[in-house]
Amino acid sequence: MTITSTQTILSVRTANANASDNSSAKSSPQVYNVQEPPFKGYHPPQPEGYQQSKASPSSNAIVIDNGAHIVKAGWSFDKKPRFLIPPVMSRFRDRKLNKTCQFVGYDSYIDATTRGQLRYAFDPGTSVIGNWDVMEGVLDYLFLKLGVDGTNGGVDRPIVMTEPIANLAYPRKMMSEILFECYSVPSVAYGIDCLFSYRYNRGKDGLIISSSHTSTHVVPVLNSKPLLSNSSRLNWGGAQASEYMLKSMKLKYPTFPARITENQMEDLIHKHCYVSTDYDKELSHYLDWTGLEDRNRIIQYPFTEHIVVEKTEEELARIAERKKESGRRLQEQAAKMRLEKLMKKEQELEYYKDLQRGLASESKKEAKRILEAEDLKDEAHLERTIRDLERSIKRSRNKDLGIEENEEGPEEVSFPLLDVPDEELDEAGLREKRHQKLMKSNIEARQRAKAEKEREKARREEEERLDNERRETEFENWIGERRTARQALLQKIKERERLKADLGNRKSLASQMRMKTLANLASDGPKKRRRGGDDDTFGANDEDWGVYRTVATGEQSDEEEEEDVNNSLKAIEAQLLKYDPEFTENHTLEAQSDWTKSLVHAFLRGPWPFDAESQREAHQLHLNVERIRVPEVVFQPCIAGIDQAGIVEIAADILNQRFSGAEDRARLLRDVFLTGGHTLFKGFDERIRTELRSVLPVDAELSVRRAADPMLDAWKGAAQWASAANLSVSSISRQDFLEKGAEYIKEHDLGNVTSF
Amino acid sequence: MAPSTPAGDDSHQQLLDRLDISTLPRPFRNPHWKPSQRRNKNVKQLLAETSRKEASVIATQNNSGATTPFAVGTTTTDGTQTPMGGASSRPPNIAQAAQNLSTLVLEKNTRAMFPTGPAATYTNIESAPSLHPAHQKHYCDITGLSAPYTDPKTRLRYHDKEVFGVIRTLGQGVAESYLEARGAHVVLK
């Protein structure tokens, strides 16, 4: 089921926009292409980092920011991560080559086969690892690319890894198990990504708002210590946003011919969405005609236009020549035929004339015999034949010579025989009389029709005259009548639309009536025949056939009638336009159902006309309201059906309810810190600033800042932290793992704390 | 989109071979590592397990009777001492000792929590529903604009009568998927 704008009221729409104020035709739109699968080419391994780390194997750590969107990995002495890959793997058995293939990260987007086998490490929409085979594949890939040579039969470097706030025990246990048992690492330290990012940006006291791929966290930090029990999570992030975008697009274009993927939606969100600084105000004018071309973004999907084979000039000329040639040949043939016919006719004429001359000298009986032999009834018949032949010869000669023959008026024929009583006529006379009678009635009928036509014309003229008179004398009444007539027609059109729509609904009255009629028709025949009496009179009355009209649905049913109504509506509107001072171009139905007036059209197709035939336009997505609607969810989660408070309400709640001390609150407010990829939207910080300001006391000092690089600062912070001397204090050593179990963690200022 | 399977020349296969990591040696992996077949669990399972565990721990605490301060004064559970030391006055009872151990761990945890309230867990840091009446704004399900009206038949919110016309022409089930996008659909269990 497609949403269409209400342009269907009138089938014929001219695109004259000058009827409205939307007269300025919009310039041709800028079109954005949709993203291709994010394959990034081959990345060679970088073993030099491993060589460098050999200088101090116990302190140079491998740092992995284990993000649900992108896993970043590198060495603790690096300035930025060496490898950025999405935590996906595609492992399958290639039947043709009979071997198992394994692709990780961007490599798994290389072709359709690998994309088809794509698996995510994280449980969809959460920051919890759900598929450990993929996680192992990702770690394998990273260690391979980082050049780990496994001289001691393992990864003999410390690992620093990020995990979500309040990570569940099971994922941590599994991760430790894999790291210690499969990769035999000497030690591992876990920390929280947004805290690393905050540390990297030199924050000490502040409120971290971290919106990442799977969730949004608000964490208060005082004295460089996170107050995790006062932190809060909103289950909304980049992944949910692209999922929501996908849902909206599928609903907006239900019959979209191409496949829309979540990856593409993610790319669209990155490129076109922004946080509105005043959502409700901006929203209310978003689909307004003015400036819509700037707010509306067109995304073009690849398409193939149905190509009409364009013929070359030469070919066209050749075809024309061939056509002409065959036409000429036909003409020649026809001329020849005509000539032959003409000659034949002339011969015949000659013959009959001879015959006539001969007849004059013959006796009556002989003449009759000759005539009968010639299949002629009498002399009059002969005469008539000769006359006909003469006329047709003359006509064809004229035609050949190109003389315009003026149709001679109906000759005044007299019908002398009609007044003669039958008794006085012989057989031939009677026949002649019958013929004349027929001719006469023919001519009379023609005259009658002509008279009728003239009368009708006169009547119309009279009517128009009366109408004009009436308009001049009692204008008010006249215009009132016209208006009611127009209303009635509109009502009729509406009624028909409703009926049509109702027929689509099985339960509607209209379709139930139709079903009843159908059932009656179907049951009628056999029942009556069974009774014996063949009294089926269907069809005796002309109105019986009307039943098919009521039964038929769909396009063909009453197109004619519709045309009729539309035409009379147009006539009335034309009159109103001419005489009614209050009725302007804008009031016509055509102008009102013009697509430039349609909100739904603006929503679906922007400020440009839509041509359903064009493949190019059918493969376009239009982003308009979605551009602010999707990022807005983080502020108003109820838009997407998330039953949680928005990010500002959460922050305000933490600030106002849990930190009653004015001093603590002031310290937090002095540094509201935004990090995570989902905060990259334009206007995000400004919106946070204005909204927070509105819920804070007037005199509160507020400062909002973004991380220098919201995406990578977590990794950089982790690397920086890992280079510090006391890494081993915060790390779980192999010894700890063996003695205290897989769920054991060491608490430190940037990590989670033990819970049950 | 890139051609789904690029032209069958060798270059693509060569690229595939280069990207394929299945054949590369991985000396850093423990050859004896055999992961459990059923290690993949989704969040729902994990949360169910966690809450079961929490419930059972609380139950143990309730039954143990060890919430009385008998051990607290004498025993420290900071790891410097074996917790069993506090129970030395009692006759050794392995079952009870085991139970006590778990309660002691629990108590340690609760004490650790006291200054800041309950520890953060995956479930309890989830933010609460909005209480602010101003945040319950209605937006049009079709266009996303403000929605002063609700269609009583489909329960869809809509912006104006043109959108209403669209709603009335929606096919079967489409209205429901609009509701689903807003999380207001009916779930039959």
Side-chain angles (χ1 to χ4, degrees):
Chain A
M1 195 68 207
T2 322
I3 325 168
T4 45
S5 49
T6 53
Q7 328 161 351
T8 43
I9 301 177
L10 286 180
S11 45
V12 193
R13 279 188 306 107
T14 45
N16 66 334
N18 57 6
S20 58
D21 53 331
N22 303 338
S23 53
S24 50
K26 298 291 184 176
S27 55
S28 61
Q30 190 187 353
V31 174
Y32 299 85
N33 283 326
V34 74
Q35 187 211 29
E36 315 230 326
F39 173 63
K40 307 246 165 161
Y42 175 70
H43 293 283
Q46 300 181 6
E48 65 277 4
Y50 187 70
Q51 301 307 328
Q52 198 182 333
S53 74
K54 273 185 180 162
S56 169
S58 59
S59 67
N60 287 332
I62 295 176
V63 179
I64 300 172
D65 179 3
N66 198 11
H69 182 228
I70 301 278
V71 177
K72 302 110 190 153
W75 295 96
S76 54
F77 46 76
D78 288 335
K79 283 278 159 281
K80 56 183 184 13
R82 286 174 188 249
F83 295 100
L84 306 171
I85 59 163
V88 295
M89 179 176 80
S90 160
R91 187 167 57 185
F92 55 95
R93 190 151 188 87
D94 193 321
R95 299 215 178 272
K96 233 183 340 193
L97 302 169
N98 200 25
K99 64 165 192 170
T100 310
C101 304
Q102 187 180 16
F103 300 94
V104 175
Y106 289 119
D107 298 355
S108 27
Y109 288 103
I110 182 164
D111 67 18
T113 330
T114 58
R115 284 199 294 272
Q117 300 291 331
L118 205 68
R119 298 288 176 272
Y120 291 87
F122 286 82
D123 212 30
T126 67
S127 42
V128 174
I129 299 165
N131 191 331
W132 292 95
D133 301 315
V134 176
M135 197 63 234
E136 259 184 52
V138 168
L139 289 174
D140 276 355
Y141 179 91
L142 290 175
F143 292 143
L144 280 171
K145 295 286 180 189
L146 286 171
V148 176
D149 60 9
T151 32
N152 302 336
V155 179
D156 52 354
R157 298 286 182 278
I159 304 281
V160 174
M161 190 170 270
T162 63
E163 61 178 10
I165 296 177
N167 196 12
L168 288 164
Y170 182 79
R172 187 181 300 134
K173 178 181 143 209
M174 287 308 298
M175 184 59 88
S176 293
E177 247 178 60
I178 288 176
L179 288 174
F180 284 111
E181 290 185 12
C182 176
Y183 297 109
S184 322
V185 298
S187 72
V188 59
Y190 296 107
I192 296 168
D193 46 1
C194 59
L195 298 178
F196 282 134
S197 173
Y198 192 51
R199 183 179 192 270
Y200 186 76
N201 285 282
R202 297 170 198 289
K204 282 186 90 165
D205 310 304
L207 188 71
I208 303 176
I209 296 179
S210 158
S211 193
S212 57
H213 189 58
T214 54
S215 51
T216 298
H217 286 103
V218 181
V219 189
V221 179
L222 283 177
N223 301 323
S224 305
K225 267 187 181 301
L227 304 166
L228 291 182
S229 52
N230 283 328
S231 65
S232 203
R233 182 185 69 233
L234 168 65
N235 294 326
W236 189 267
Q240 286 87 348
S242 27
E243 195 187 333
Y244 183 64
M245 184 67 131
L246 184 67
K247 240 186 243 172
S248 319
M249 282 298 133
K250 280 188 172 161
L251 286 170
K252 191 171 177 180
Y253 302 102
T255 55
F256 197 68
R259 206 174 107 80
I260 312 175
T261 67
E262 219 161 292
N263 271 326
Q264 291 162 347
M265 291 303 109
E266 193 181 290
D267 179 59
L268 293 188
I269 291 174
H270 292 171
K271 282 184 186 149
H272 303 291
C273 288
Y274 62 95
V275 171
S276 170
T277 42
D278 188 346
Y279 185 68
D280 284 324
K281 190 168 160 232
E282 186 163 4
L283 188 72
S284 61
H285 297 293
Y286 216 84
L287 291 177
D288 286 0
W289 181 262
T290 337
L292 182 56
E293 69 272 24
D294 299 324
R295 291 188 294 269
N296 187 75
R297 295 279 172 92
I298 301 180
I299 315 302
Q300 181 73 60
Y301 272 67
F303 66 98
T304 39
E305 193 74 71
H306 294 309
I307 300 160
V308 184
V309 179
E310 203 58 53
K311 290 196 174 92
T312 62
E313 196 91 338
E314 213 173 302
E315 269 179 316
L316 284 174
R318 205 161 47 229
I319 288 166
E321 185 59 35
R322 210 180 307 146
K323 248 185 204 160
K324 229 189 266 170
E325 181 65 28
S326 65
R328 207 156 36 222
R329 214 175 305 138
L330 276 176
Q331 266 175 353
E332 270 167 26
Q333 251 168 15
K336 214 163 123 195
M337 289 264 285
R338 248 196 335 265
L339 199 67
E340 270 169 22
K341 244 187 209 160
L342 191 63
M343 270 155 68
K344 208 173 140 206
K345 272 181 192 159
E346 273 174 356
Q347 278 165 9
E348 262 174 48
L349 182 64
E350 218 38 43
Y351 175 76
Y352 282 127
K353 274 189 174 160
D354 275 352
L355 198 70
Q356 204 177 22
R357 270 195 299 277
L359 278 183
S361 54
E362 294 294 338
S363 72
K364 210 169 188 180
K365 201 172 176 192
E366 186 62 12
K368 195 164 184 189
R369 194 191 58 78
I370 292 172
L371 277 177
E372 247 161 42
E374 289 299 330
D375 237 359
L376 293 166
K377 285 175 199 146
D378 48 24
E379 276 179 64
H381 193 175
L382 177 64
E383 224 165 90
R384 222 167 33 237
T385 317
I386 290 173
R387 205 176 54 224
D388 284 352
L389 273 172
E390 265 173 352
R391 202 182 293 161
S392 86
I393 287 170
K394 194 177 159 202
R395 204 182 300 144
S396 47
R397 274 227 183 92
N398 281 348
K399 207 172 179 186
D400 274 0
L401 295 172
I403 294 169
E404 197 62 40
E405 187 179 10
N406 42 352
E407 194 61 51
E408 57 229 81
E411 58 221 277
E412 274 312 309
V413 252
S414 55
F415 307 104
L417 284 179
L418 288 184
D419 294 332
V420 184
D422 283 357
E423 294 86 56
E424 292 169 28
L425 288 169
D426 58 350
E427 201 155 311
L430 272 177
R431 228 175 292 139
E432 186 58 35
K433 185 181 172 186
R434 220 175 298 143
H435 181 74
Q436 285 187 0
K437 215 189 245 171
L438 214 68
M439 292 284 281
K440 188 173 177 232
S441 58
N442 234 343
I443 287 168
E444 275 172 358
R446 235 175 287 155
Q447 277 163 349
R448 261 204 308 280
K450 208 169 164 191
E452 182 72 29
K453 225 187 257 171
E454 245 145 54
R455 257 205 307 285
E456 173 71 19
K457 204 172 149 198
R459 194 181 61 78
R460 278 229 197 113
E461 270 164 15
E462 175 67 11
E463 218 169 60
E464 210 177 303
R465 195 184 58 77
L466 280 178
D467 196 47
N468 286 343
E469 208 168 87
R470 209 162 114 70
R471 191 175 64 234
E472 271 146 35
T473 52
E474 36 187 338
F475 182 75
E476 284 307 310
N477 281 344
W478 182 84
I479 210 87
E481 258 169 42
R482 285 302 124 114
R483 280 183 192 153
T484 35
R486 179 170 172 273
Q487 280 308 322
L489 279 174
L490 283 180
Q491 192 60 39
K492 210 167 166 186
I493 290 176
K494 218 183 252 173
E495 191 75 6
R496 180 151 348 100
E497 292 280 317
R498 203 180 56 79
L499 207 67
K500 225 185 239 172
D502 266 8
L503 278 178
N505 181 1
R506 218 159 36 85
K507 285 181 195 150
S508 72
L509 186 66
S511 58
Q512 277 184 351
M513 290 298 282
R514 180 172 166 264
M515 287 316 292
K516 214 171 181 177
T517 325
L518 274 179
N520 275 343
L521 276 179
S523 68
D524 229 40
K527 217 189 278 168
K528 283 205 172 147
R529 221 164 289 146
R530 224 181 298 130
R531 276 194 210 131
D534 190 18
D535 53 353
D536 185 5
T537 55
F538 183 88
N541 203 340
D542 267 350
E543 277 146 40
D544 290 352
W545 302 105
V547 82
Y548 289 109
R549 194 172 261 265
T550 60
V551 165
T553 54
E555 301 298 293
Q556 78 286 7
S557 62
D558 41 18
E559 234 164 46
E560 262 173 54
E561 204 181 326
E562 207 171 299
E563 195 85 332
D564 242 31
V565 173
N566 283 344
N567 281 342
S568 39
L569 181 71
K570 260 190 197 157
I572 290 184
E573 283 186 344
Q575 277 184 331
L576 283 173
L577 271 181
K578 202 164 163 192
Y579 300 113
D580 189 349
E582 288 161 34
F583 194 83
T584 63
E585 291 267 331
N586 286 343
H587 289 87
T588 58
L589 181 60
E590 202 161 311
Q592 275 177 6
S593 54
D594 192 43
W595 63 264
T596 53
K597 287 281 197 328
S598 163
L599 177 90
V600 176
H601 182 97
F603 174 62
L604 290 174
R605 304 292 169 192
W608 297 282
F610 176 62
D611 170 16
E613 295 297 310
S614 158
Q615 284 297 311
R616 187 175 62 83
E617 285 177 29
H619 281 77
Q620 283 175 347
L621 295 181
H622 290 252
L623 294 186
N624 36 54
V625 177
E626 295 82 8
R627 291 181 61 204
I628 54 172
R629 186 186 183 182
V630 172
E632 182 68 15
V633 179
V634 109
F635 298 94
Q636 300 185 53
C638 61
I639 291 180
I642 307 286
D643 196 17
Q644 287 186 290
I647 186 168
V648 174
E649 201 184 333
I650 295 174
D653 177 62
I654 289 175
L655 288 166
N656 292 334
Q657 311 293 325
R658 305 199 199 176
F659 290 89
S660 38
E663 195 196 324
D664 284 350
R665 192 166 64 196
R667 276 162 75 191
L668 291 178
L669 280 175
R670 269 197 287 272
D671 189 14
V672 176
F673 176 75
L674 306 179
T675 184
H678 200 239
T679 63
L680 280 170
F681 290 115
K682 186 185 131 230
F684 197 97
D685 47 348
E686 203 182 328
R687 176 73 181 272
I688 293 268
R689 203 172 290 131
T690 49
E691 292 234 337
L692 264 185
R693 170 59 67 205
S694 69
V695 292
L696 291 174
V698 194
D699 53 346
E701 193 186 333
L702 173 68
S703 147
V704 179
R705 65 168 174 147
R706 282 178 195 254
D709 183 346
M711 297 273 284
L712 297 184
D713 277 358
W715 184 90
K716 288 175 185 168
Q720 194 187 52
W721 178 77
S723 325
N726 57 355
L727 172 62
S728 57
V729 180
S730 315
S731 292
I732 306 154
S733 66
R734 194 170 176 75
Q735 194 67 24
D736 290 332
F737 172 74
L738 293 174
E739 280 176 13
K740 293 167 182 157
E743 289 185 34
Y744 176 78
I745 55 165
K746 278 205 173 151
E747 292 180 11
H748 57 88
D749 281 352
L750 300 177
N752 279 311
V753 293
T754 328
S755 59
F756 286 107
Chain B
M1 209 177 284
S4 48
T5 34
D9 61 301
D10 268 359
S11 63
H12 183 65
Q13 190 55 47
Q14 275 167 12
L15 181 60
L16 278 181
D17 287 343
R18 200 145 69 127
L19 297 173
D20 185 3
I21 62 165
S22 65
T23 51
L24 299 177
R26 293 170 220 187
F28 47 80
R29 278 179 76 100
N30 183 352
H32 306 296
W33 164 247
K34 280 276 174 300
S36 149
Q37 285 300 307
R38 297 167 63 188
R39 60 177 170 164
N40 292 344
K41 293 184 186 173
N42 60 32
V43 174
K44 213 170 151 193
Q45 285 171 305
L46 292 179
L47 290 181
E49 268 174 29
T50 316
S51 64
R52 227 178 7 250
K53 209 154 133 198
E54 280 170 25
S56 81
V57 167
I58 287 164
T60 328
Q61 183 184 25
N62 289 340
N63 298 339
S64 68
T67 39
T68 46
F70 87 97
V72 177
T74 52
T75 321
T76 55
T77 52
D78 54 6
T80 51
Q81 237 177 307
T82 319
M84 279 307 289
S88 56
S89 57
R90 293 172 158 225
N93 180 335
I94 301 299
Q96 201 185 358
Q99 204 179 32
N100 278 350
L101 185 62
S102 66
T103 24
L104 286 170
V105 171
L106 187 79
E107 271 164 21
K108 185 213 162 185
N109 286 341
T110 19
R111 228 174 307 128
M113 283 176 228
F114 262 118
T116 51
T121 64
Y122 189 80
T123 34
N124 75 8
I125 64 164
E126 201 161 332
S127 72
S130 175
L131 298 171
H132 208 294
H135 292 165
Q136 305 304 322
K137 286 176 197 145
H138 289 186
Y139 295 104
C140 175
D141 284 311
I142 314 286
T143 61
L145 303 175
S146 61
Y149 316 106
T150 304
D151 174 20
K153 196 167 134 197
T154 57
R155 291 179 293 121
L156 287 178
R157 295 169 183 164
Y158 61 94
H159 177 69
D160 65 0
K161 73 174 188 191
E162 192 191 343
V163 181
F164 180 68
V166 171
I167 288 181
R168 278 295 148 98
T169 58
L170 290 178
Q172 207 133 38
V174 181
E176 197 65 10
S177 43
Y178 271 110
L179 287 176
E180 194 192 334
R182 172 155 62 86
H185 58 303
V186 178
V187 183
L188 294 175
K189 278 187 182 157

